[in-house]
Each structure stands twice: as structure tokens, then as C-alpha cells.
Amino acid sequence: MNNKITNRENGSDGTPSRDLCTWYRISSVMKDQKSKKWVRISFHPSSDTTLLQHFQKKRKTIQQPTSADHQKISSKQNGKEGDSSESTPESVLQYERQMRKLRAADRASKTDVNARDHLHTVYFDDHIVVTNKPSGILCVPGVNKNKSLLDLVFDKYGSGANDEDEKSTPSATSFPRDSMIVHRLDMDTSGIVMFARTRTAMSALHKLFRERTGTKKVYEALLVGWLDIDPWIESIDENDGQGVGMKEGEETEEDQKPPKSVLSNVGILGGGEIHLPLQRDHRHPPFMRVSTPESEAEARRAVEDLNHAGYKKLIAKKPKASTTQFRIISHEQWFGHPVTRVELIPITGRTHQLRAHCAAMGHPILGDPAYGFLHIP
């Protein structure tokens, strides 16, 4: 996938076939594409797993495979029909391999997290602390309780503080460390992070972030390659203004314009909205992936295998609708290679949402080791 999003041929009934590749639909609600370039990237409704769930609920419950069934499947896979020896499914082996890698990587972390190098306070008062988090440290402790930004903030501004001037209120001296968390950033992401110092502040900030009122998250990133939406807009024009892959007379998804505040900030290079559902990647936990009907079915089969292998608490989590708005700021060069500077606004707050959505467009975030490239060859 280069600068164009790949489409599949439609079947005789107008619905997308499933034998070529993932099929995205590009649409626009803007009447004047040339003055305000704004596109919407989504799945055709027949491929949107968040919509398919509505129909899946109506299906009859499928009986879980028994131990004998698993033995039969395993025997067939090994070409030994009738052999009762049981082998571990590949999905279970893959899961366990990935978990071992993650535990080893976590143990190998040698970052010396300290206040001098990593605690950059932008503002604090009796109620909140605002910090500028550097890249390379955790916002909160990981599975192995590695030291994090939260620990540094708590030691200086919470009940662990030695300086009485910074423990300026009685409530700050008794407020639990974990309750200070309001939101977080990925380890490799730098930016502003807020912490609460009182229960009242924590409740108020949680409400603001949850309801997305009074707060706005804006990220700036470099994407691999030059992101150009003009070919997508031309594809829309060639379809008489309809979205690519849309039936004649079908309304654009949700049939709504983006907010005026967003459009007023769109430059000549344009922008758009990525509306692709995300789910946990069962092949590479704990990472995420764009959910398709095929990946959803495969994930459910993998969970069944894991349940049978003893991981009883694992369940197949449903895909979640996920939306990211983007604005192209500039096309640049990074050590002689093309990159695109973009502004990203998460409308929903899924794990690794921005990274997964950018990769889905074919332009992963530069340096992303999970969804993109460590370097450009």
C-alpha cells in the first residue's frame, strides 16, 4: 500500500469481494473538495466488524469443542488420522512465545528514571500537576513495577514529598499515588501529562476526559513517506462525488461534516478522518490491529484454543469503533527520505489508536517499532 488505499473489485451484487485484500471505502461530505480537502477512510458496512456484531448476536450459540474434538483436529493437522496424541495449537505457541519476549524485554529495561533528567514540571498548584513527559519512560509503572513518571510526580508532589511547600494541602499528603493518574502517553511518546493531587480534582478531570468537554488531545507526528490525499479525492470525483466503493444514491457514512473548527484549520494539503475499528492482535499481544471479519473470526478461534490449553480467563474482546482525525502540515525530508508531518486528533481513545490508524493508511509513524519501521533502509 503506497499513497493510494487499495480497493477490491465488487461482486455482481455490488458488495466487495473478500479474495484480494482489505477493502477500504473513501468518501467525503464536502461539496467543494478543492477548497477544503477532507476525506473519510472507513470500511464498507459489510466489512465493519462493529456493525457485524449486531447480526452475530442473533446467531445460535455454537457448542464449544470438546477435548476429543481438539484431538481429532490436531491429528488431522499432523496427517495422522486416528492418532489420539494431542499437540498444542500454533495459536497457543505463538501467544506463549510473544509473552516470553515481552517479559524478557521488560526485565532488560535499564532506564535510570530520575527527577533531574525526566521530571519537567510545566505547572502545579494545590489541585493538579502538569508535566512535559520525555520520550523513553513510562507514564505509570509496568508489569514489573519499573519506575515511571508517576513515581517521580508522587515523590515530589504527593504524600512522598519531603518539601512541605510542595505538599501545600493536607489532602495532597494523604492522596494515594495511583489515584493521581488522569491519562497517559505511550512510553515512546513525549508530551504534556496531567496528574491530580486531590480527589476532587481527579473526579473533575476524569469527567472532562471521559466526556471530551473542556479538553482536547492534539499530537504531532512524522509519517513515513509523503501522504497525499489528492489521488483519493480524484477517485471520488471520478465516481461523481460518491465515495469509492459506495452504491449509487448511498449517503456518506453518518452524512455529517466535520466541525467547522476542524475545517478552518485544514491547510492546502488537506486532512481527513480515519474510521476503522480496532481489536487486540491475537497473533502479537498486547498490540492492536485493524479489525476485519477475517481477523475477528481468527481471533475467536485462537481464544478457544487458548482456553482449552488452560488460559481460562482469556476472552475474545469485541472490536471497538475507533476514529482519528488528521491534518497534513507539510511534506519534508528526513535524512534524504520523504516524510509527512501531520497533526493527529484522537476522537476515541483506544490503545495504540494513532499508531495503528497511521499504519493502516500505509504511512506508519517514523520510528514506530511495533506498527512501522525502526529506520528507513
Side-chain angles (χ1 to χ4, degrees), residues 324-339:
T324 300
Q325 291 177 347
F326 68 92
R327 180 176 70 89
I328 303 174
I329 299 174
S330 61
H331 290 146
E332 304 175 10
Q333 294 282 332
W334 182 80
F335 290 96
H337 298 282
V339 294

Side-chain angles (χ1 to χ4, degrees), residues 53-334:
Q53 290 172 19
H54 172 72
F55 302 102
Q56 291 171 349
K57 290 178 181 179
K58 297 181 180 179
R59 296 179 182 175
K60 294 182 180 180
T61 303
I62 300 176
Q63 185 176 2
Q64 296 293 329
T66 62
S67 176
D69 293 331
H70 275 275
Q71 289 180 354
K72 289 178 181 178
I73 294 172
S74 176
S75 297
K76 289 180 180 179
Q77 290 174 341
N78 293 324
K80 299 179 181 179
E81 185 73 40
D83 187 352
S84 61
S85 61
E86 184 176 356
S87 64
T88 304
E90 176 59 29
S91 56
V92 176
L93 296 175
Q94 173 68 24
Y95 181 88
E96 292 177 338
R97 283 195 295 266
Q98 191 68 21
M99 288 296 101
R100 284 196 296 269
K101 289 180 182 179
L102 290 172
R103 287 193 289 267
D106 199 71
R107 288 194 301 270
S109 177
K110 302 295 183 181
T111 303
D112 177 22
V113 179
N114 60 83
R116 183 188 63 186
D117 297 328
H118 302 111
L119 181 58
H120 309 304
T121 304
V122 176
Y123 173 84
F124 79 94
D125 59 22
D126 292 350
H127 310 284
I128 64 172
V129 179
V130 182
T131 65
N132 186 7
K133 174 191 169 300
S135 174
I137 68 169
L138 295 169
C139 264
V140 298
V143 293
N144 286 335
K145 307 300 181 183
N146 291 331
K147 196 166 186 179
S148 65
L149 180 60
L150 172 62
D151 296 303
L152 301 181
V153 171
F154 181 72
D155 289 344
K156 187 166 185 178
Y157 300 102
S159 62
N162 294 320
D163 190 338
E164 291 299 328
D165 291 336
E166 290 168 342
K167 293 195 309 181
S168 53
T169 62
S171 55
T173 63
S174 59
F175 196 53
R177 183 195 67 166
D178 291 347
S179 296
M180 299 181 75
I181 303 169
V182 176
H183 66 113
R184 63 193 72 188
L185 295 176
D186 290 342
M187 184 177 73
D188 293 326
T189 303
S190 61
I192 298 298
V193 180
M194 299 179 64
F195 295 90
R197 301 187 71 187
T198 66
R199 195 165 301 280
T200 301
M202 177 196 69
S203 299
L205 289 171
H206 280 179
K207 185 173 186 294
L208 289 174
F209 276 94
R210 183 173 60 252
E211 298 178 356
R212 299 186 181 277
T213 56
T215 61
K216 181 180 180 182
K217 294 182 180 180
V218 180
Y219 297 79
E220 190 172 297
L222 289 177
L223 307 186
V224 175
W226 282 354
L227 172 58
D228 182 7
I229 66 172
D230 284 343
W232 304 344
I233 294 176
E234 290 171 5
S235 298
I236 296 173
D237 292 339
E238 291 171 1
N239 285 270
D240 296 325
Q242 297 181 35
V244 177
M246 298 177 67
K247 297 180 181 179
E248 184 177 356
E250 185 180 2
E251 292 184 342
T252 53
E253 196 165 335
E254 296 184 9
D255 197 31
Q256 293 181 350
K257 292 183 179 180
K260 291 182 179 180
S261 59
V262 173
L263 287 178
S264 63
N265 201 29
V266 175
I268 60 173
L269 296 177
E273 187 171 88
I274 308 166
H275 187 72
L276 298 173
L278 297 178
Q279 68 179 155
R280 189 72 67 180
D281 191 336
H282 59 282
R283 291 185 177 181
H284 304 285
F287 302 111
M288 306 294 287
R289 61 159 294 152
V290 171
S291 174
T292 65
E294 292 81 6
S295 70
E296 170 66 0
E298 187 178 338
R300 291 185 178 278
R301 288 194 297 269
V303 168
E304 288 179 3
D305 289 339
L306 288 163
N307 290 158
H308 180 72
Y311 295 91
K312 300 297 184 182
K313 293 184 180 181
L314 286 176
I315 60 174
K317 294 184 178 180
K318 296 179 180 179
K320 294 183 178 180
S322 309
T323 303
T324 300
Q325 291 177 347
F326 68 92
R327 180 176 70 89
I328 303 174
I329 299 174
S330 61
H331 290 146
E332 304 175 10
Q333 294 282 332
W334 182 80

